[in-house]
Amino acid sequence: MPLPENEIQRLELLHQYQILDTPPEEIFDELTQLAADLFDMPMAIISLVDAEREWFKSKIGINQTEIPRSVSFGAYTILESEILIIPDTLSDERFAANPLVISEPYCRCYAGVPLITVSGFAMGSLCVFDSVPRDFSDKEKAILQKLARQIIKYLDFNRKKNIYESQNNFNLLFLNHPNPMWVIDCHNLKFLDVNDAAVIHYGYSRSEFLQMCVTDLIISENVPILEQNCEQKNSNTNCSREWKHLRKDGQIIDVEVVAHSIEYTSYNACLEVIRDITNHKQKEQTLHNSEARLRAISEAIPIPLLISRLSDSLILYANQKFIETFLSTSEDLINCRQAYDFYYNRSDREIILAELAQHGYLHNYEMQLKRANSTSFWAIASFQFLTFNGEAAILTVLYDITERKNAETSLQEQNEFLQNIFESIPLMIALIDVNGKLQWVNQEWERTLGWNLQDLQTCDILQALYPDPEDQQYAVNFIQSAQRIWGDFRTQTQEGRVIDTSWTNVHLANGQIIGIGQNITERKQTERALKTQLEREQLMRTVTGRIRQSLNLQDILDATVKEVRDLLQVDRVIVLRFASDMSATVVAESVVNGWTASIDAQIVDTCFQTGGGKEYYQGHKRAIANIYQAGLTECHINLLEQFEVKANLVVPILLQVSEENLSSGLWGLLIAHQCSRTREWEENQLDLLDQLSVPIAIAIQQSSILQQAQIEIAQRQIAEAELRNALAEKEVLLKEIHHRVKNNLQIVSSLLQLQSQTLSDPEVIKVLRDSQNRIDSISLIHRNLYTAPNIGQLDIADYIQNLATSLLISYQVSPAEIGLETYIDSVNLNVDQAIACGLIINELISNALKHAFPNQEVGSIIIRLCNLGDSIEMTIRDNGIGFSNEINWKDTNSLGLSLVYDLVTEQLEGTIILETHHETVFKIKFPQLTLQ
């Protein structure tokens, strides 16, 4: 940012106008509005430019009151001698990126005239600008310059007015000032003016002063010093100095002269204010003499003594004892060190100064100090304000108490150690004096009980902790017993909460008592919870045991209400059963003697019959501490009053309606009555009844099931007898059928055997033998069914093993020649499947025996029957010579293979696969059916 060549002088002159940051003035606002109207421009400003900003004295069309000089247009305007015209700011590289151009107020054209004083300094500018580009005519430029000259004339007028007023004020102050004042010419030191106080004080008339120089008033030995000062003094320098002046009567006085450089009617002058300090100097001398005497005395005092300046704690004086104590020297201390340099804790300085400011002294202040070699010691210090060599100072006197402090520190450390132990122990500790007054408690005592030691100084501690007289007397007896045992108490805290505590006492020789206690609330709660839980479990075991021991519902209910009454300590417990019309009957009761018995009572509650008690259907339970404050209906209260009930617990007994409908039906209620008084119930008591309703409901359902089961058992026994008779007849009939089928098949097999003995053709004999084997395989099934322990159950493994063995015998093959292996899983086959599998095994083994092992070759046949879940796989494998690849076994003239294929696909509804790699393997897979 460019600056004018005379910037410093320009700024000095600007501030002399005293116009910056002044309120708006009508004449400037009118000139600004006139400029905006003449040029038909929306914005016009009268501004002044100081070192950092362009400040707006008057403005039209803009909100800001000032902008930084770095972005202002006025900073460039004051560099011009006449006018600055910018038709289009975006075309001027100085302003194209200016924030005032590219954002609000979007200045696109500008015309500004510098406000130049008669002395040639530009103070600011008068400018107009618009948001669109524009040119300005010579006439418009001349008008704007004329307006600017009017503004500068008004500014000059105001400046002269201010100077005149300042001069009048100066003359008034100068002439009436109580101290002597004069104005001298800095060039020749002649008096230019003097006030009345100078005339009176020095004895010269005004006309005599104006004929004299300042050197005429100064003693001769001080004249060279004054002349030297005048030669070295800058015209802008202000200074203060003490001199000795001569009055007209010849008296020499001590004065303090304060000089200020000023301009005085075209003279480079100096205004001097004179203060007579003669009396002050005399007092100082007197004090100096007195301080000299005191210094001599202080040196003889055998205690450390220090004087330090109040303003900055600079050490002004230290006696020899102080120097020796702090292992230092006078040169290192006096006027070199601050007093607080020897404070071990710098925070002591603020405390000392605060006390001195409040009282003017501080005595017996214990503090820790440090010597020059960094060692420390303790001292008692006393502080006092005084004046030393004309300055406000502090007198410090020290007494070494290191030995005493060390002893106190050792004792304090021991006390703190013991106190820390007491504070850290998680036990309440209290010290009680011989009169029973509490003297001290630890933090654990205060934290647990909530009382502060101060709170209990004016009240009875035992009464506060044990407001019940019986509890209080028990505590007194326990303390006086002096037995070292633990006792349990119910103690009240400051908040009014009652907690469980356990205490023991220690009696000291001086009659004091130390009470040691601990908060055992959690333990007691746990014990009570465990006790309640044990009682609850015992009750549940009793009820459950009674249910297991007896299916008699009445016995179970009678035992339950008695156990509940004993456990809850109530006056009555009943079980109420509802009828279909919501009338109720007390079916079980346990009641304390003296209260009305309600067993077998018929209760007709219109509230229930009209829909009351719906919450019980939903399993809601209820605890009523006071029947008159529970919001019960009048009919309900009347019913309870008949049985003298003051408070009660009620839980519903719900039964599952059916297996299809899992919603519960309301069978009745289990109720506990308190008749003697109202009662605040505990939540676990209501929960206990609620839990008992479950085994009661189970017992009710078991009883109902037992009755139904007894009826069904009787009916079933009759039906079973009839079924056993019918089954025996059926088994005899089935066995007879299988026996006859087996006999008939054996007759057919024997006929075929006889027929083969009459024939000589080997092929025909072979055919008859194959047919005989097929019939035998079927006959074998009927024989197994006939001889089985359970009719209809077939041992398939035994059947297949017997069938395969009979085939080897039929073909006269010894086990040494052809080995037979069977691996049979436990599978279920009906008669049809068993016959089909037997025929398939018969055909495939017969085929292997006839063709697979020619020339009496040795080999093996393996039969597997596997259970695959929903299907059965049967595998028949031999290691004979195998099938010829030219034979299509599925389409052949062989009766046996055709029979196998048809049995698998049609009878068993399965599949068959032939594998001929190294071995002949038939894999048959068919669905598993249930045994029929």
Side-chain angles (χ1 to χ4, degrees):
M1 180 182 64
L3 298 174
E5 294 181 356
N6 52 4
E7 176 67 3
I8 295 177
Q9 292 81 1
R10 185 189 73 83
L11 291 175
E12 289 180 357
L13 181 61
L14 173 62
H15 289 291
Q16 290 177 11
Y17 274 87
Q18 300 180 8
I19 194 172
L20 288 172
D21 299 313
T22 57
E25 297 183 43
E26 183 178 0
I27 186 169
F28 291 106
D29 292 341
E30 289 178 352
L31 290 172
T32 306
Q33 187 64 55
L34 178 61
D37 293 342
L38 288 174
F39 290 90
D40 192 21
M41 301 281 267
M43 292 168 279
I45 295 174
I46 296 175
S47 68
L48 299 168
V49 180
D50 68 3
E52 302 292 338
R53 59 176 176 161
E54 181 179 14
W55 177 75
F56 304 151
K57 174 62 178 175
S58 178
K59 54 189 173 61
I60 299 294
I62 190 169
N63 295 326
Q64 295 97 320
T65 58
E66 62 181 46
I67 57 176
R69 184 172 178 178
S70 59
V71 299
S72 69
F73 283 79
Y76 290 91
T77 305
I78 62 176
L79 301 176
E80 302 293 330
S81 59
E82 294 183 357
I83 192 169
L84 174 63
I85 300 295
I86 308 173
D88 187 354
T89 55
L90 290 178
S91 299
D92 192 318
E93 63 180 7
R94 294 174 297 175
F95 304 104
N98 192 291
L100 300 175
V101 176
I102 61 178
S103 60
E104 289 288 345
Y106 297 105
C107 177
R108 287 294 305 277
C109 70
Y110 176 86
V113 177
L115 301 178
I116 302 175
T117 66
V118 293
S119 57
F121 296 103
M123 300 291 101
S125 66
L126 168 66
C127 64
V128 293
F129 51 93
D130 202 346
S131 58
V132 295
R134 172 176 171 176
D135 291 324
F136 295 87
S137 64
D138 292 340
K139 182 178 180 181
E140 289 175 328
K141 296 177 183 178
I143 292 173
L144 193 62
Q145 289 174 321
K146 290 179 180 179
L147 288 174
R149 285 194 290 273
Q150 293 300 317
I151 293 170
I152 199 66
K153 286 180 181 179
Y154 187 76
L155 288 174
D156 286 335
F157 172 77
N158 274 353
R159 178 171 178 262
K160 291 178 181 178
K161 179 180 178 183
N162 292 336
I163 292 174
Y164 176 76
E165 291 177 354
S166 298
Q167 186 65 42
N168 286 341
N169 292 335
F170 171 78
N171 290 336
L172 182 62
L173 177 63
F174 178 78
L175 294 175
N176 297 291
H177 199 280
N179 288 336
M181 297 179 66
W182 52 58
V183 179
I184 61 174
D185 187 343
C186 292
H187 177 65
N188 53 21
L189 301 181
K190 282 186 170 292
F191 289 102
L192 300 177
D193 200 357
V194 294
N195 68 350
D196 293 341
V199 172
I200 295 170
H201 199 73
Y202 282 85
Y204 296 101
S205 66
R206 177 180 176 80
S207 58
E208 289 176 329
F209 265 114
L210 296 180
Q211 301 297 321
M212 298 167 58
C213 295
V214 172
T215 54
D216 297 333
L217 298 180
I218 297 177
I219 60 176
S220 57
E221 56 266 27
N222 287 342
V223 171
I225 299 174
L226 175 62
E227 293 176 346
Q228 183 180 2
N229 288 345
C230 291
E231 293 176 358
Q232 296 176 352
K233 185 174 64 175
N234 188 289
S235 61
N236 294 320
T237 300
N238 299 326
C239 62
S240 174
R241 190 179 177 92
E242 293 181 4
W243 302 93
K244 290 186 179 294
H245 281 186
L246 286 170
R247 296 174 54 175
K248 186 175 181 180
D249 59 7
Q251 181 183 358
I252 298 176
I253 60 176
D254 291 292
V255 298
E256 180 185 40
V257 178
V258 180
H260 304 272
S261 298
I262 62 171
E263 289 185 7
Y264 185 82
T265 61
S266 72
Y267 287 98
N268 183 14
C270 181
L271 172 66
E272 293 185 346
V273 180
I274 294 86
R275 185 169 67 92
D276 191 338
I277 59 174
T278 304
N279 292 335
H280 177 70
K281 283 288 187 180
Q282 291 175 351
K283 291 179 180 180
E284 279 187 354
Q285 185 61 38
T286 302
L287 287 174
H288 179 73
N289 296 335
S290 175
E291 287 172 359
R293 290 192 299 270
L294 289 174
R295 185 177 290 108
I297 296 173
S298 66
E299 291 297 335
I301 295 176
I303 57 174
L305 186 147
L306 176 73
I307 298 177
S308 58
R309 190 159 56 196
L310 175 62
S311 59
D312 57 4
S313 292
L314 183 68
I315 296 176
L316 303 178
Y317 170 76
N319 70 350
Q320 188 60 34
K321 186 63 177 179
F322 185 94
I323 295 172
E324 294 174 356
T325 300
F326 286 89
L327 306 179
S328 186
T329 63
S330 177
E331 292 76 13
D332 293 335
L333 293 179
I334 309 303
N335 295 322
C336 294
R337 300 283 296 276
Q338 274 74 27
Y340 54 76
D341 288 344
F342 298 97
Y343 293 179
Y344 192 87
N345 297 310
R346 288 295 185 95
S347 58
D348 285 335
R349 179 171 182 252
E350 286 71 24
I351 299 173
I352 294 168
L353 291 177
E355 288 292 326
L356 287 173
Q358 184 175 1
H359 303 291
Y361 61 88
L362 175 60
H363 296 323
N364 299 325
Y365 180 74
E366 293 188 6
M367 61 187 302
Q368 194 173 7
L369 301 168
K370 57 184 177 181
R371 303 182 182 90
N373 63 354
S374 298
T375 58
S376 63
F377 67 97
W378 281 91
I380 291 180
S382 295
F383 302 90
Q384 181 76 46
F385 279 139
L386 56 76
T387 301
F388 184 80
N389 292 337
E391 296 182 291
I394 300 173
L395 170 64
T396 304
V397 180
L398 304 175
Y399 299 91
D400 192 333
I401 59 169
T402 303
E403 292 183 2
R404 191 195 79 186
K405 196 67 178 178
N406 289 339
E408 290 179 356
T409 302
S410 177
L411 182 59
Q412 184 177 359
E413 289 175 352
Q414 293 178 8
N415 291 337
E416 289 178 353
F417 176 73
L418 293 175
Q419 187 170 354
N420 288 335
I421 292 177
F422 289 138
E423 296 295 349
S424 301
I425 292 177
L427 296 172
M428 295 180 286
I429 302 176
L431 180 63
I432 304 173
D433 63 15
V434 293
N435 299 319
K437 187 176 181 181
L438 196 65
Q439 288 188 316
W440 176 85
V441 294
N442 67 344
Q443 290 181 357
E444 181 68 14
W445 193 97
E446 293 182 340
R447 185 191 65 80
T448 302
L449 300 180
W451 300 95
N452 291 324
L453 181 62
Q454 293 77 10
D455 298 335
L456 299 171
Q457 294 300 315
T458 58
C459 68
D460 188 342
I461 175 62
L462 291 179
Q463 184 177 2
L465 298 178
Y466 306 104
D468 186 90
E470 293 183 3
D471 294 341
Q472 187 178 146
Q473 186 60 45
Y474 175 69
V476 171
N477 295 338
F478 181 80
I479 294 173
Q480 293 177 349
S481 68
Q483 297 181 9
R484 293 196 176 186
I485 59 174
W486 288 90
D488 293 346
F489 296 84
R490 297 283 287 168
T491 305
Q492 179 170 294
T493 66
Q494 193 270 343
E495 299 173 350
R497 183 168 53 92
V498 178
I499 63 173
D500 290 290
T501 59
S502 182
W503 293 90
T504 187
N505 300 314
V506 177
H507 284 249
L508 302 180
N510 60 1
Q512 293 180 321
I513 300 173
I514 296 178
I516 302 173
Q518 55 183 326
N519 186 355
I520 60 171
T521 303
E522 293 185 3
R523 192 189 78 190
K524 283 290 187 179
Q525 289 175 346
T526 302
E527 290 176 356
R528 286 192 285 269
L530 288 174
K531 182 180 178 182
T532 302
Q533 182 66 25
L534 290 174
E535 293 174 345
R536 181 181 301 179
E537 291 177 357
Q538 179 61 38
L539 180 58
M540 295 297 291
R541 283 196 297 269
T542 302
V543 174
T544 305
R546 184 58 61 91
I547 293 174
R548 291 175 180 173
Q549 295 171 3
S550 173
L551 293 176
N552 187 304
L553 179 60
Q554 191 61 48
D555 290 344
I556 295 172
L557 296 179
D558 290 342
T560 300
V561 294
K562 183 179 183 305
E563 295 290 341
V564 171
R565 185 178 65 79
D566 291 341
L567 179 62
L568 297 183
Q569 294 296 302
V570 293
D571 299 321
R572 182 190 298 115
V573 177
I574 64 172
V575 174
L576 197 67
R577 180 175 183 178
F578 289 115
S580 58
D581 61 352
M582 294 309 294
S583 62
T585 303
V586 178
V587 296
E589 179 185 38
S590 176
V591 61
V592 175
N593 293 333
W595 298 108
T596 303
S598 60
I599 187 67
D600 298 328
Q602 299 292 322
I603 297 174
V604 179
D605 190 347
T606 56
C607 297
F608 278 101
Q609 292 176 337
T610 56
K614 290 183 179 179
E615 65 273 11
Y616 294 132
Y617 285 91
Q618 301 171 356
H620 291 178
K621 51 192 177 181
R622 193 168 190 181
I624 299 176
N626 187 334
I627 64 172
Y628 301 105
Q629 298 177 359
L632 303 179
T633 60
E634 184 177 355
C635 62
H636 196 172
I637 294 175
N638 293 335
L639 175 63
L640 294 174
E641 286 178 341
Q642 294 178 20
F643 297 96
E644 306 163 303
V645 178
K646 299 290 191 304
N648 66 3
L649 297 174
V650 186
V651 297
I653 301 173
L654 301 174
L655 302 182
Q656 183 175 314
V657 176
S658 65
E659 293 182 358
E660 293 78 12
N661 183 9
L662 297 180
S663 61
S664 298
L666 180 63
W667 183 88
L669 300 174
L670 176 60
I671 307 174
H673 286 162
Q674 190 71 40
C675 303
S676 58
R677 56 183 173 84
T678 59
R679 179 170 175 175
E680 292 294 334
W681 302 100
E682 297 179 9
E683 186 176 353
N684 58 13
Q685 295 171 334
L686 185 60
D687 290 340
L688 172 63
L689 284 190
D690 190 35
Q691 291 181 7
L692 280 174
S693 67
V694 176
I696 292 175
I698 294 174
I700 294 170
Q701 289 178 322
Q702 285 182 348
S703 177
S704 175
I705 292 171
L706 176 61
Q707 294 176 1
Q708 183 178 357
Q710 289 173 342
I711 296 172
E712 291 179 353
I713 288 172
Q715 295 175 348
R716 178 177 292 182
Q717 287 174 347
I718 297 172
E720 284 180 353
E722 294 175 353
L723 286 174
R724 280 195 295 270
N725 294 333
L727 182 59
E729 294 175 358
K730 183 177 180 181
E731 287 182 350
V732 172
L733 178 60
L734 287 175
K735 287 190 176 185
E736 182 63 25
I737 291 173
H738 286 305
H739 179 64
R740 293 192 178 190
V741 171
K742 186 265 298 182
N743 288 343
N744 291 335
L745 289 174
Q746 284 183 346
I747 291 171
V748 174
S749 176
S750 298
L751 290 174
L752 291 176
Q753 178 67 26
L754 292 173
Q755 183 67 41
S756 65
Q757 292 175 359
T758 63
L759 299 174
S760 59
D761 187 347
E763 290 297 327
V764 176
I765 294 171
K766 180 180 178 182
V767 170
L768 290 176
R769 187 176 60 187
D770 290 342
S771 298
Q772 184 183 2
N773 290 337
R774 295 185 181 108
I775 292 171
D776 288 342
S777 68
I778 298 173
S779 174
L780 183 60
I781 289 177
H782 287 282
R783 189 191 71 182
N784 288 349
L785 290 172
Y786 167 66
T787 59
N790 295 323
I791 188 70
Q793 292 186 354
L794 180 64
D795 188 347
I796 192 65
D798 182 59
Y799 167 67
I800 292 175
Q801 182 66 39
N802 291 337
L803 176 60
T805 303
S806 66
L807 286 173
L808 293 177
I809 296 171
S810 174
Y811 284 96
Q812 298 179 354
V813 176
S814 68
E817 297 174 356
I818 305 297
L820 178 64
E821 300 177 25
T822 58
Y823 302 95
I824 311 301
D825 287 351
S826 177
V827 298
N828 292 325
L829 297 179
N830 59 23
V831 175
D832 292 338
Q833 289 177 321
I835 293 173
C837 289
L839 291 173
I840 292 170
I841 293 170
N842 178 79
E843 295 302 325
L844 293 179
I845 292 179
S846 297
N847 190 59
L849 294 174
K850 289 188 291 184
H851 303 292
F853 306 101
N855 303 323
Q856 297 182 345
E857 292 183 3
V858 177
S860 65
I861 298 174
I862 300 174
I863 303 173
R864 291 182 183 273
L865 192 65
C866 301
N867 189 346
L868 302 180
D870 58 350
S871 62
I872 298 172
E873 183 179 73
M874 183 169 64
T875 305
I876 301 172
R877 180 192 309 270
D878 69 73
N879 58 357
I881 62 174
F883 268 78
S884 173
N885 293 331
E886 297 176 357
I887 298 176
N888 183 4
W889 69 276
K890 294 182 181 180
D891 185 14
T892 178
N893 294 328
S894 172
L895 175 62
L897 292 178
S898 298
L899 180 60
V900 169
Y901 185 76
D902 291 340
L903 287 171
V904 171
T905 58
E906 296 179 8
Q907 185 72 23
L908 295 177
E909 298 181 354
T911 60
I912 182 169
I913 299 173
L914 173 62
E915 297 178 357
T916 59
H917 300 291
H918 305 296
E919 292 180 327
T920 300
V921 182
F922 284 91
K923 288 187 176 180
I924 300 165
K925 189 175 183 180
F926 58 93
Q928 182 171 212
L929 302 176
T930 58
L931 186 61
Q932 296 181 351

